[in-house]
């Protein structure tokens, strides 16, 4: 059984590698590389995998999951300029791929302590682009 | 090839274990445990897995699938108070997890008789919470 | 300038007039009249009309508006059985029309005290049904 | 007859008045005032009002309308930090209200030259907040 | 009080005036003029205006409204090629504007016979284009 | 890491096998078999699977992916009558299943030349029906 909770945050970012020239960044990242940044209403879907408790009928305590997402993701990312305010994005480019992997790393242990395992992170950067990341081994 | 049909139903439920006290249920289920119930516009996605018929170009007869979902799910769940009107929710708590599993059990054999196998059930309880259930063995 | 904030709540209701027979209620309200109730994820859109403050660039304090909606609507309606827990629905039928009008009455004065006037309430009962209510005089 | 075209752009902004202290801005604008900014996927709906041409069956040339929105709005706003790159937001706070009014001013004349009149601008800053602006006189 | 019901239908159409050349039609309607047609999942929103019955709490019988929309719109338009199968589109171009006006004319009298008045028709041709039509006099 | 880009196109089609009678086609495909066709706003989700480049933070060049989808899918399918204008649908029935498989075949090699592998195609024919196709071997 998989259970997924969605949350939203607003953030700004620049996709550019500081070691490259403006032209090289423009060629790699297009308009995402404009130096003053731009922003998105990100939607993150956190999926947890586990057995349903035969008594309670739940995979995990949803109130605890919501609280972990608030603490580990929303309080960190929401209304922030990722490159300047949210490590490790001072060192690595905040592409959707890297943001999804960072969210995985922030959530994996706190969710694991609730019992069931984090299964995957899906991150929507806009209506027509999303990524999905998982370190769960294939069955 | 996977093919998915969506359907909606409106129902009310209480998430509470009658053997527990009000306080214990509140601690487990939060506001979902309020004794008079509340409701949702549930969205169910029924996914079937099969080969595409080389002549007809279809995995299965979609009209037959729609009719099975209507008979086995909508006619049973729609505009009902799950705990009081839809077995087995007189005995088990109608969490999203248990509802998804019950829908799986209602659909598995009727869809199997059409040919292809039921692959998974995704059930949305609200915009920010959904579960996915499958008994399909991993490949 | 109109500004609209959306909020959601889950509630259950029965649309039936206790003075009528089951058959008469069924004829009037259809499946909405089933006596044990059913539920919806209601979406309410609260629209306020006012001038933009030339200094702040806002019609009103959005944080205050959010708090009023939480206090006057969500805390009252969310996870409740409207007929049994939310007056005046012990006396009047909780159709979408009557719920929208009740929300108008709960919000009108608290929003008015912020400065700009409540303009309209739009209430979505499901994806394919919504009502809009206003007591604002035509211009 | 009203006809509406939707478009999207990603931008970042800070809602803060440079003449006020950080605390005063925080009190006025909440998290929207964080100094490094944050961003949104803005959705703009441009509504035009006019008679249907009895021969062509159209209010206006939709290809021309799309081109005007691209030139006057998307090319100006998309992937930009509004406060620093899009006048007049170097001087006025880029609240949703002020952005909607600026879009009205950019579109009014170019659309008017096509024939029918610009009727209103609806701007969604996030899923639960939108504003609507019009200078059209009441009928 | 306004009450709106949504419905969907799939249809194909060509936007081209048979008296014009291919080039002229291409210039007027763009890709919408390709001679073999293309299609949309149209969404129609039917809005009715009326007083809330003080006893029933409803503007009108929603089951009757749904039936009228099915008979007058869905049974006529759904899974049809508008230019060839749905008059008056053998004679006039099935632009969104003309389709919305045709739906108004089909619904006005049958809804009027239920009591309250048809208020407006909103027709979505795609996610980013919709029209709204009304013959209701301004207040 | 999976990365998905969405795109939309409007097309019309008829689901009918020319070797069968009208009655047989109606029994197999229902209203989808009406001979003059009807249409949809199709939404296609193209999912690519690959490792994140440790320097750029991307799975692939999104601008190149967008261009491939435009060339191989949108330029071919958009505003077309599939049975008459888009091979192989002159020979095989354009069911959602067959369209998804055709899109897979058009995209597989051009995307593979960018580096990462095409992972799956999800095609939405309407709000309540979608298919997903993949030739990726199970892990």
């Amino acid at each position: 059984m998989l259970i997924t909770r969605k949350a939203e945050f607003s953030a700004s970012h620049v996709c550019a590698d500081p070691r490259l020239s403006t032209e090289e960044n423009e060629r790699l990242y297009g308009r995402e590389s404009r130096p003053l940044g731009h922003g998105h209403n990100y939607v993150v879907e956190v999926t947890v995998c586990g057995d349903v408790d035969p008594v309670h009928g739940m995979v995990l305590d949803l109130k605890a999951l919501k609280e972990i997402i608030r603490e580990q993701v929303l309080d960190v990312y929401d209304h922030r300029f990722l490159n300047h305010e949210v490590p490790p994005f001072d060192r690595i480019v905040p592409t959707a791929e890297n943001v999804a992997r960072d969210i995985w790393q922030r959530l994996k242990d706190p969710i694991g302590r609730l019992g069931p395992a984090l299964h995957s992170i899906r991150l929507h950067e806009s209506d027509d682009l999303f990524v999905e990341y998982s370190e769960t081994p294939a069955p």
Side-chain angles (χ1 to χ4, degrees), chain A:
Chain A
M1 179 79 69
L2 302 173
I3 185 158
T4 301
R5 204 170 241 302
K6 245 189 237 186
E8 296 188 42
F9 59 90
S10 295
S12 55
H13 71 155
V14 176
C15 289
D17 182 334
R19 294 161 299 186
L20 300 179
S21 71
T22 303
E23 290 70 29
E24 287 169 312
N25 276 314
E26 165 80 23
R27 213 178 50 240
L28 263 172
Y29 300 102
R31 294 174 304 172
E32 299 273 321
S33 69
R34 288 185 179 160
L36 298 180
H38 63 278
H40 300 290
N41 301 321
Y42 288 93
V43 177
V44 58
E45 302 182 26
V46 178
T47 300
V48 173
C49 181
D51 293 327
V52 181
D53 179 288
V55 174
H56 303 151
M58 294 189 288
V59 167
L60 84 168
D61 182 335
L62 282 168
K63 303 183 305 302
L65 175 60
K66 190 174 185 176
E67 185 60 21
I68 288 171
I69 296 171
R70 195 185 60 68
E71 270 178 23
Q72 302 292 328
V73 182
L74 305 188
D75 284 358
V76 174
Y77 278 87
D78 195 28
H79 285 79
R80 296 296 181 189
F81 194 145
L82 300 184
N83 306 60
H84 299 300
E85 300 182 277
V86 184
F89 302 116
D90 50 341
R91 301 184 311 277
I92 67 170
V93 185
T95 57
E97 291 92 326
N98 279 338
V99 172
R101 192 153 54 178
D102 184 59
I103 292 176
W104 171 278
Q105 284 159 0
R106 289 176 188 273
L107 289 177
K108 190 190 173 187
D109 290 345
I111 288 176
R113 282 193 288 272
L114 290 180
L118 179 58
H119 177 269
S120 58
I121 297 294
R122 183 175 278 198
L123 181 75
H124 301 256
E125 193 177 280
S126 66
D127 261 8
D128 57 9
L129 184 72
F130 62 87
V131 298
E132 186 168 326
Y133 182 67
S134 177
E135 296 178 4
T136 306

